[in-house]
Amino acid sequence: MKLKVVLASAAVVAIAVVAFAFTSKKATQTYYYISGTDNQRLEPNHTTESDLRDRTITSANFTDASNWTLTQQSFNQTSDYSKFIGSISFDEESVADGGADGQLTLQEALNSVMTQYSNLSPNAMHASFTEGTAVINIVAADAKH
């Protein structure tokens, strides 16, 4: 009888371990807009400033994954979303699927934020956006960096 209990307990533990191994593990990742990159301003219609960092974000620059890094950049956070882009955070995954599972790839997150920004009239950035069931948090910087 004891052997049956031990075997049953071992089976339950094995099932729990396997189930845990295959559950989706969410890992929140923060990407920083690389200091020195052009088009950092979140407020629209800044298109003629001599310092290109002072110009309004563009889809070409904002959605280019090479303009983002996991390495923290030096900027001061602000709650004024007419200032400059600092970083974005979201639950990251490696395979693009539209965010239905609450996770996004970097490219999906960038495209989503840019689409949301562009669809608002006038263009405007907010502290967070949702794509599918995935939440993307945006941090604004108080100055170009």
Side-chain angles (χ1 to χ4, degrees):
M1 184 68 166
K2 287 184 179 182
L3 181 60
K4 286 182 182 180
V5 171
V6 169
L7 290 174
S9 297
V12 169
V13 169
I15 290 169
V17 167
V18 169
F20 179 76
F22 287 102
T23 57
S24 175
K25 295 178 183 83
K26 293 186 179 182
T28 300
Q29 197 63 263
T30 299
Y31 283 90
Y32 300 89
Y33 202 64
I34 297 173
S35 294
T37 303
D38 296 342
N39 302 96
Q40 294 183 13
R41 191 180 297 265
L42 297 173
E43 186 176 48
N45 301 319
H46 290 274
T47 59
T48 59
E49 287 71 13
S50 59
D51 185 338
L52 298 178
R53 295 176 301 162
D54 277 324
R55 294 186 184 185
T56 301
I57 60 171
T58 64
S59 181
N61 276 2
F62 190 87
T63 62
D64 182 348
S66 69
N67 288 333
W68 296 85
T69 182
L70 295 171
T71 304
Q72 188 167 357
Q73 304 294 290
S74 181
F75 63 84
N76 295 319
Q77 184 175 339
T78 181
S79 59
D80 184 350
Y81 283 83
S82 69
K83 295 296 183 186
F84 299 85
I85 186 64
S87 66
I88 63 171
S89 300
F90 55 95
D91 288 340
E92 187 175 32
E93 65 184 350
S94 58
V95 178
D97 64 6
D101 60 355
Q103 298 174 309
L104 298 165
T105 63
L106 173 59
Q107 196 62 62
E108 285 177 315
L110 295 174
N111 292 345
S112 176
V113 172
M114 192 66 210
T115 298
Q116 292 287 344
Y117 172 84
S118 299
N119 285 342
L120 297 172
S121 183
N123 295 353
M125 190 66 72
H126 294 286
S128 66
F129 288 104
T130 302
E131 180 67 37
T133 60
V135 177
I136 307 160
N137 296 303
I138 295 100
V139 171
D142 67 351
K144 62 188 174 194
H145 53 94

mmCIF file of all heavy atoms in Angstrom, residues 66-89:
data_model
loop_
_atom_site.group_PDB
_atom_site.id
_atom_site.type_symbol
_atom_site.label_atom_id
_atom_site.label_comp_id
_atom_site.label_asym_id
_atom_site.label_seq_id
_atom_site.Cartn_x
_atom_site.Cartn_y
_atom_site.Cartn_z
ATOM 1 N N SER A 66 17.092 48.630 -34.329
ATOM 2 C CA SER A 66 18.501 48.937 -34.056
ATOM 3 C C SER A 66 18.669 50.262 -33.304
ATOM 4 O O SER A 66 19.756 50.561 -32.834
ATOM 5 C CB SER A 66 19.318 48.944 -35.348
ATOM 6 O OG SER A 66 18.955 50.037 -36.164
ATOM 7 N N ASN A 67 17.595 51.049 -33.178
ATOM 8 C CA ASN A 67 17.642 52.296 -32.412
ATOM 9 C C ASN A 67 17.275 52.089 -30.942
ATOM 10 O O ASN A 67 17.153 53.048 -30.193
ATOM 11 C CB ASN A 67 16.715 53.340 -33.027
ATOM 12 C CG ASN A 67 17.251 53.871 -34.337
ATOM 13 O OD1 ASN A 67 18.456 53.869 -34.567
ATOM 14 N ND2 ASN A 67 16.371 54.306 -35.213
ATOM 15 N N TRP A 68 17.098 50.837 -30.534
ATOM 16 C CA TRP A 68 16.710 50.493 -29.170
ATOM 17 C C TRP A 68 17.738 49.540 -28.569
ATOM 18 O O TRP A 68 18.327 48.738 -29.264
ATOM 19 C CB TRP A 68 15.324 49.840 -29.178
ATOM 20 C CG TRP A 68 14.266 50.779 -29.657
ATOM 21 C CD1 TRP A 68 13.909 51.035 -30.954
ATOM 22 C CD2 TRP A 68 13.454 51.624 -28.857
ATOM 23 N NE1 TRP A 68 12.918 51.975 -30.988
ATOM 24 C CE2 TRP A 68 12.617 52.365 -29.720
ATOM 25 C CE3 TRP A 68 13.348 51.820 -27.480
ATOM 26 C CZ2 TRP A 68 11.688 53.279 -29.252
ATOM 27 C CZ3 TRP A 68 12.420 52.739 -27.016
ATOM 28 C CH2 TRP A 68 11.595 53.454 -27.894
ATOM 29 N N THR A 69 17.930 49.641 -27.261
ATOM 30 C CA THR A 69 18.907 48.804 -26.575
ATOM 31 C C THR A 69 18.388 48.384 -25.204
ATOM 32 O O THR A 69 17.544 49.085 -24.615
ATOM 33 C CB THR A 69 20.251 49.546 -26.410
ATOM 34 O OG1 THR A 69 21.193 48.673 -25.785
ATOM 35 C CG2 THR A 69 20.114 50.822 -25.587
ATOM 36 N N LEU A 70 18.908 47.281 -24.706
ATOM 37 C CA LEU A 70 18.598 46.844 -23.345
ATOM 38 C C LEU A 70 19.452 47.582 -22.312
ATOM 39 O O LEU A 70 19.170 47.526 -21.119
ATOM 40 C CB LEU A 70 18.825 45.335 -23.213
ATOM 41 C CG LEU A 70 17.894 44.462 -24.051
ATOM 42 C CD1 LEU A 70 18.356 43.012 -24.018
ATOM 43 C CD2 LEU A 70 16.468 44.576 -23.548
ATOM 44 N N THR A 71 20.470 48.277 -22.791
ATOM 45 C CA THR A 71 21.368 49.009 -21.913
ATOM 46 C C THR A 71 20.721 50.333 -21.509
ATOM 47 O O THR A 71 20.316 51.126 -22.369
ATOM 48 C CB THR A 71 22.705 49.302 -22.625
ATOM 49 O OG1 THR A 71 23.259 48.064 -23.069
ATOM 50 C CG2 THR A 71 23.677 50.014 -21.701
ATOM 51 N N GLN A 72 20.631 50.568 -20.214
ATOM 52 C CA GLN A 72 19.997 51.791 -19.729
ATOM 53 C C GLN A 72 20.717 53.016 -20.278
ATOM 54 O O GLN A 72 21.954 53.072 -20.300
ATOM 55 C CB GLN A 72 19.994 51.826 -18.206
ATOM 56 C CG GLN A 72 19.171 52.969 -17.657
ATOM 57 C CD GLN A 72 18.907 52.822 -16.167
ATOM 58 O OE1 GLN A 72 19.283 51.836 -15.546
ATOM 59 N NE2 GLN A 72 18.249 53.809 -15.609
ATOM 60 N N GLN A 73 19.936 53.986 -20.735
ATOM 61 C CA GLN A 73 20.468 55.240 -21.257
ATOM 62 C C GLN A 73 20.269 56.330 -20.213
ATOM 63 O O GLN A 73 19.405 56.216 -19.342
ATOM 64 C CB GLN A 73 19.758 55.612 -22.565
ATOM 65 C CG GLN A 73 19.833 54.529 -23.642
ATOM 66 C CD GLN A 73 21.235 54.299 -24.156
ATOM 67 O OE1 GLN A 73 21.784 55.131 -24.845
ATOM 68 N NE2 GLN A 73 21.827 53.159 -23.801
ATOM 69 N N SER A 74 21.032 57.390 -20.323
ATOM 70 C CA SER A 74 20.969 58.466 -19.339
ATOM 71 C C SER A 74 19.933 59.515 -19.742
ATOM 72 O O SER A 74 20.124 60.244 -20.715
ATOM 73 C CB SER A 74 22.348 59.112 -19.203
ATOM 74 O OG SER A 74 22.295 60.135 -18.245
ATOM 75 N N PHE A 75 18.826 59.550 -19.003
ATOM 76 C CA PHE A 75 17.807 60.584 -19.175
ATOM 77 C C PHE A 75 16.988 60.661 -17.903
ATOM 78 O O PHE A 75 16.968 59.726 -17.103
ATOM 79 C CB PHE A 75 16.904 60.310 -20.394
ATOM 80 C CG PHE A 75 16.093 59.047 -20.305
ATOM 81 C CD1 PHE A 75 14.876 59.008 -19.629
ATOM 82 C CD2 PHE A 75 16.538 57.880 -20.901
ATOM 83 C CE1 PHE A 75 14.133 57.842 -19.551
ATOM 84 C CE2 PHE A 75 15.798 56.705 -20.830
ATOM 85 C CZ PHE A 75 14.594 56.693 -20.148
ATOM 86 N N ASN A 76 16.323 61.784 -17.714
ATOM 87 C CA ASN A 76 15.438 61.967 -16.571
ATOM 88 C C ASN A 76 14.003 61.733 -17.014
ATOM 89 O O ASN A 76 13.547 62.295 -18.003
ATOM 90 C CB ASN A 76 15.569 63.380 -15.992
ATOM 91 C CG ASN A 76 16.944 63.615 -15.408
ATOM 92 O OD1 ASN A 76 17.513 62.760 -14.752
ATOM 93 N ND2 ASN A 76 17.487 64.796 -15.678
ATOM 94 N N GLN A 77 13.299 60.918 -16.259
ATOM 95 C CA GLN A 77 11.908 60.582 -16.575
ATOM 96 C C GLN A 77 11.002 61.772 -16.289
ATOM 97 O O GLN A 77 11.237 62.546 -15.356
ATOM 98 C CB GLN A 77 11.498 59.386 -15.730
ATOM 99 C CG GLN A 77 10.125 58.868 -16.023
ATOM 100 C CD GLN A 77 9.827 57.604 -15.241
ATOM 101 O OE1 GLN A 77 10.723 56.906 -14.780
ATOM 102 N NE2 GLN A 77 8.550 57.294 -15.094
ATOM 103 N N THR A 78 9.945 61.914 -17.107
ATOM 104 C CA THR A 78 8.940 62.948 -16.887
ATOM 105 C C THR A 78 7.559 62.381 -17.157
ATOM 106 O O THR A 78 7.418 61.392 -17.897
ATOM 107 C CB THR A 78 9.186 64.179 -17.790
ATOM 108 O OG1 THR A 78 8.184 65.170 -17.512
ATOM 109 C CG2 THR A 78 9.133 63.817 -19.266
ATOM 110 N N SER A 79 6.541 62.994 -16.590
ATOM 111 C CA SER A 79 5.160 62.586 -16.864
ATOM 112 C C SER A 79 4.579 63.382 -18.028
ATOM 113 O O SER A 79 3.423 63.185 -18.406
ATOM 114 C CB SER A 79 4.294 62.768 -15.614
ATOM 115 O OG SER A 79 4.317 64.127 -15.214
ATOM 116 N N ASP A 80 5.376 64.260 -18.624
ATOM 117 C CA ASP A 80 4.946 65.085 -19.754
ATOM 118 C C ASP A 80 5.230 64.345 -21.059
ATOM 119 O O ASP A 80 6.371 64.294 -21.524
ATOM 120 C CB ASP A 80 5.679 66.427 -19.727
ATOM 121 C CG ASP A 80 5.227 67.379 -20.814
ATOM 122 O OD1 ASP A 80 4.480 66.944 -21.730
ATOM 123 O OD2 ASP A 80 5.628 68.551 -20.766
ATOM 124 N N TYR A 81 4.184 63.769 -21.638
ATOM 125 C CA TYR A 81 4.335 62.970 -22.852
ATOM 126 C C TYR A 81 4.349 63.800 -24.128
ATOM 127 O O TYR A 81 4.127 63.285 -25.210
ATOM 128 C CB TYR A 81 3.283 61.859 -22.890
ATOM 129 C CG TYR A 81 3.689 60.745 -21.963
ATOM 130 C CD1 TYR A 81 3.418 60.810 -20.602
ATOM 131 C CD2 TYR A 81 4.423 59.669 -22.436
ATOM 132 C CE1 TYR A 81 3.851 59.816 -19.747
ATOM 133 C CE2 TYR A 81 4.857 58.665 -21.582
ATOM 134 C CZ TYR A 81 4.573 58.747 -20.247
ATOM 135 O OH TYR A 81 5.016 57.771 -19.400
ATOM 136 N N SER A 82 4.664 65.089 -23.998
ATOM 137 C CA SER A 82 4.938 65.915 -25.176
ATOM 138 C C SER A 82 6.448 66.153 -25.289
ATOM 139 O O SER A 82 6.894 66.846 -26.181
ATOM 140 C CB SER A 82 4.211 67.255 -25.085
ATOM 141 O OG SER A 82 4.776 68.055 -24.061
ATOM 142 N N LYS A 83 7.199 65.568 -24.385
ATOM 143 C CA LYS A 83 8.664 65.771 -24.360
ATOM 144 C C LYS A 83 9.370 64.801 -25.299
ATOM 145 O O LYS A 83 9.197 64.882 -26.499
ATOM 146 C CB LYS A 83 9.176 65.657 -22.918
ATOM 147 C CG LYS A 83 8.654 66.756 -22.001
ATOM 148 C CD LYS A 83 9.138 68.116 -22.436
ATOM 149 C CE LYS A 83 8.683 69.190 -21.475
ATOM 150 N NZ LYS A 83 9.004 70.507 -21.920
ATOM 151 N N PHE A 84 10.136 63.868 -24.782
ATOM 152 C CA PHE A 84 10.987 63.006 -25.598
ATOM 153 C C PHE A 84 10.799 61.536 -25.215
ATOM 154 O O PHE A 84 10.382 61.234 -24.106
ATOM 155 C CB PHE A 84 12.454 63.421 -25.429
ATOM 156 C CG PHE A 84 12.708 64.832 -25.863
ATOM 157 C CD1 PHE A 84 12.501 65.898 -24.996
ATOM 158 C CD2 PHE A 84 13.127 65.117 -27.152
ATOM 159 C CE1 PHE A 84 12.715 67.210 -25.401
ATOM 160 C CE2 PHE A 84 13.341 66.425 -27.577
ATOM 161 C CZ PHE A 84 13.135 67.470 -26.696
ATOM 162 N N ILE A 85 11.156 60.642 -26.108
ATOM 163 C CA ILE A 85 11.032 59.218 -25.823
ATOM 164 C C ILE A 85 12.226 58.754 -24.989
ATOM 165 O O ILE A 85 13.362 59.149 -25.242
ATOM 166 C CB ILE A 85 10.898 58.386 -27.130
ATOM 167 C CG1 ILE A 85 10.617 56.918 -26.815
ATOM 168 C CG2 ILE A 85 12.111 58.534 -28.037
ATOM 169 C CD1 ILE A 85 9.300 56.675 -26.125
ATOM 170 N N GLY A 86 11.937 57.950 -23.982
ATOM 171 C CA GLY A 86 12.981 57.400 -23.136
ATOM 172 C C GLY A 86 13.089 55.896 -23.294
ATOM 173 O O GLY A 86 14.114 55.372 -23.720
ATOM 174 N N SER A 87 11.986 55.189 -22.960
ATOM 175 C CA SER A 87 12.025 53.732 -23.022
ATOM 176 C C SER A 87 10.619 53.163 -23.167
ATOM 177 O O SER A 87 9.623 53.867 -22.976
ATOM 178 C CB SER A 87 12.680 53.162 -21.764
ATOM 179 O OG SER A 87 11.870 53.423 -20.628
ATOM 180 N N ILE A 88 10.578 51.876 -23.495
ATOM 181 C CA ILE A 88 9.320 51.129 -23.491
ATOM 182 C C ILE A 88 9.570 49.819 -22.748
ATOM 183 O O ILE A 88 10.677 49.292 -22.761
ATOM 184 C CB ILE A 88 8.784 50.854 -24.914
ATOM 185 C CG1 ILE A 88 9.729 49.972 -25.720
ATOM 186 C CG2 ILE A 88 8.504 52.155 -25.655
ATOM 187 C CD1 ILE A 88 9.145 49.488 -27.036
ATOM 188 N N SER A 89 8.532 49.322 -22.082
ATOM 189 C CA SER A 89 8.608 48.051 -21.355
ATOM 190 C C SER A 89 7.389 47.220 -21.705
ATOM 191 O O SER A 89 6.285 47.749 -21.846
ATOM 192 C CB SER A 89 8.628 48.281 -19.847
ATOM 193 O OG SER A 89 9.735 49.048 -19.460
#
